[in-house]
Amino acid sequence: MNGQNDGIDLYAVPLKSLGYDFRTLTSCLLNSKKILPADGPDRLSRDWRGIASLINISNEVVESIYGLADKTQKVIDLWCEKRDGTATLGKLMEYLQLIDRYDVYDDLQDLIRRGRIVVPKNNIVALNSNQLAEIEERDRVITFDDRREGFAQHYHAYVLFAEEDWDFVNELLTRMREQGFKLCTILDLDPGHETPYAPVAQLISERCYRIILVYSPAFLSSRANSFYTDYAQAVGIESKQRNIIPIIYRPCRLPVNLTYYHKLIYQPDKWAPYDFWEKLSESLRQVQIPRANGMCSSTSTLDITEMSNTMTEFMTSSQLSVSTSDMDTNHIVITHPDDSTSISDFSSGGRDKKKNGVFRKVRKFFRGPKDP
């Protein structure tokens, strides 16, 4: 391959500059695991793993990619982060030939000929480092929150809805945000995206841990919502997570693929066996979003206070902080050894046997050995 296509130097087209059509095509065709390796001395895998091998991604990182929904996009992102000038469309086309994926190669060639994944040739130039930084910034900044906070934000849920149902969605957003939940919609997208498809897909697959579907006849008539729904379901299946929360706002017939999901039915004027808003809150409380440093903490910091029987002793009681990956709680109170109640667990997960075992060890530590 000479890197030229209709006068365009494909080696001057950074992968970061390519949009939805490119990402969709490469992910759909390269995410699927291929059993037979490519011909050649290196016997490269004929899927995303082959590309990962060619760009020298370590085995440890490759293992971490297996659990992701869009493995190909993650490999491309890691490639772009190297900033060595090789993450270009021309180099990818070259690698596709090395792993015997001429089907992907030909499909990309077709998109290039139709002008679907590159800008017109009179606008193509070799990008300098500042331009690459701008492209990376646009890719990282998806929502207003990203730009305001200065780093990629994660959300409890992304809310999909039809414009006709905005009044209800506005109430939903207000109620949930007042309880401290971070929710995102298409209205939160930062301006500058060519289309909403790629940023919304990225939010669904990487940034939002639940997808709330506000079903109504208007919702079902939207092709965009149908696409996002199918994509969200695919992400959930791939990650083995129950990520979809269907809400029946107005009576309608759900798609067959969502028939067996547990649904929340909004009936404000009728008696219901449960509190709609409380049930929605419970579903979102199960989500733990990453902290400001971008890492999802697997530990909880616990305030443990030794309580006594007198107010004076209570005011001077000692406090200490304990971190453990075995407990998912916020506050444990250890009473005085002479008190009849030994421990109070304020965590909703305190019934778990493993956690109870940890609580017993903490209690034993503070009580000390029994008198002979």
Side-chain angles (χ1 to χ4, degrees):
M1 174 181 171
N2 58 15
Q4 299 290 327
N5 191 288
D6 293 334
I8 297 174
D9 182 6
L10 299 184
Y11 287 96
V13 182
L15 297 180
K16 275 287 186 181
S17 70
L18 303 181
Y20 174 75
D21 288 332
F22 165 79
R23 292 171 182 247
T24 302
L25 188 149
T26 52
S27 294
C28 288
L29 296 178
L30 293 175
N31 277 344
S32 301
K33 184 177 180 180
K34 300 296 182 183
I35 304 300
L36 297 178
D39 292 333
D42 296 328
R43 308 291 289 173
L44 296 168
S45 297
R46 297 173 55 249
D47 48 44
W48 63 272
R49 295 170 299 167
I51 303 296
S53 178
L54 288 168
I55 64 176
N56 297 317
I57 294 180
S58 66
N59 292 333
E60 292 78 8
V61 175
V62 169
E63 286 297 323
S64 68
I65 296 176
Y66 274 97
L68 301 180
D70 194 341
K71 304 171 183 62
T72 302
Q73 188 54 49
K74 181 62 177 179
V75 170
I76 291 176
D77 287 343
L78 292 173
W79 190 2
C80 294
E81 289 172 8
K82 289 177 176 288
R83 300 189 179 185
D84 57 3
T86 65
T88 66
L89 181 57
K91 201 65 177 178
L92 176 62
M93 301 286 276
E94 184 180 314
Y95 286 167
L96 288 172
Q97 295 176 86
L98 291 177
I99 64 172
D100 289 345
R101 289 307 300 270
Y102 290 95
D103 57 328
V104 186
Y105 178 92
D106 291 340
D107 286 346
L108 286 176
Q109 287 277 29
D110 182 58
L111 287 179
I112 293 169
R113 282 192 294 269
R114 291 189 284 135
R116 295 289 298 277
I117 63 171
V118 294
V119 297
K121 60 183 179 181
N122 58 340
N123 292 330
I124 280 286
V125 295
L127 299 182
N128 58 35
S129 59
N130 291 332
Q131 289 170 310
L132 286 173
E134 291 176 2
I135 291 171
E136 291 177 357
E137 176 69 13
R138 288 198 301 270
D139 185 72
R140 184 172 65 90
V141 175
I142 300 179
T143 66
F144 291 114
D145 294 334
D146 295 340
R147 188 169 297 282
R148 182 179 65 251
E149 300 297 333
F151 57 90
Q153 298 294 297
H154 289 73
Y155 299 88
H156 289 88
Y158 186 91
V159 184
L160 274 174
F161 64 97
E163 293 182 10
E164 293 84 346
D165 304 325
W166 168 245
D167 289 342
F168 167 74
V169 173
N170 188 34
E171 181 182 3
L172 184 153
L173 295 172
T174 301
R175 284 176 176 265
M176 296 301 106
R177 285 169 175 168
E178 286 177 350
Q179 297 183 44
F181 298 116
K182 292 183 65 176
L183 271 60
C184 180
T185 74
I186 195 170
L187 301 179
D188 295 300
L189 291 184
D190 189 75
H193 301 287
E194 294 180 3
T195 70
Y197 290 99
V200 170
Q202 189 172 352
L203 285 170
I204 289 174
S205 61
E206 300 177 8
R207 305 272 201 92
C208 300
Y209 296 87
R210 294 288 187 272
I211 312 301
I212 298 175
L213 309 178
V214 182
Y215 270 106
S216 69
F219 182 97
L220 293 175
S221 65
S222 168
R223 296 181 61 184
N225 284 339
S226 296
F227 168 80
Y228 295 137
T229 300
D230 292 342
Y231 183 75
Q233 188 175 33
V235 169
I237 293 173
E238 182 73 20
S239 61
K240 299 180 181 179
Q241 299 290 331
R242 297 180 179 178
N243 62 335
I244 293 180
I245 304 176
I247 291 176
I248 309 299
Y249 172 53
R250 298 186 188 278
C252 57
R253 186 172 183 177
L254 291 183
V256 176
N257 58 324
L258 291 176
T259 302
Y260 298 101
Y261 278 84
H262 175 72
K263 296 169 282 291
L264 293 177
I265 302 177
Y266 181 68
Q267 296 177 307
D269 301 326
K270 299 180 181 180
W271 180 88
Y274 56 82
D275 185 322
F276 173 85
W277 298 112
E278 179 58 29
K279 283 294 183 181
L280 180 58
S281 298
E282 289 178 4
S283 299
L284 297 177
R285 288 192 196 105
Q286 301 172 11
V287 175
Q288 182 184 16
I289 63 176
R291 296 178 179 176
N293 59 8
M295 299 299 292
C296 186
S297 174
S298 60
T299 64
S300 299
T301 300
L302 313 177
D303 291 328
I304 300 182
T305 306
E306 184 178 355
M307 307 293 291
S308 64
N309 290 329
T310 65
M311 182 57 68
T312 302
E313 291 176 336
F314 170 75
M315 296 299 293
T316 60
S317 61
S318 59
Q319 293 186 337
L320 50 106
S321 179
V322 176
S323 291
T324 172
S325 60
D326 292 321
M327 290 184 275
D328 181 18
T329 183
N330 295 317
H331 192 181
I332 295 177
V333 177
I334 307 290
T335 63
H336 191 276
D338 294 335
D339 203 336
S340 59
T341 58
S342 58
I343 186 167
S344 175
D345 173 21
F346 287 87
S347 168
S348 61
R351 293 182 297 273
D352 186 84
K353 293 183 179 179
K354 184 177 181 181
K355 296 174 185 174
N356 280 337
V358 177
F359 297 156
R360 286 195 293 271
K361 291 179 182 178
V362 174
R363 181 177 59 191
K364 182 177 180 181
F365 173 82
F366 282 96
R367 279 186 165 182
K370 294 183 178 179
D371 296 332

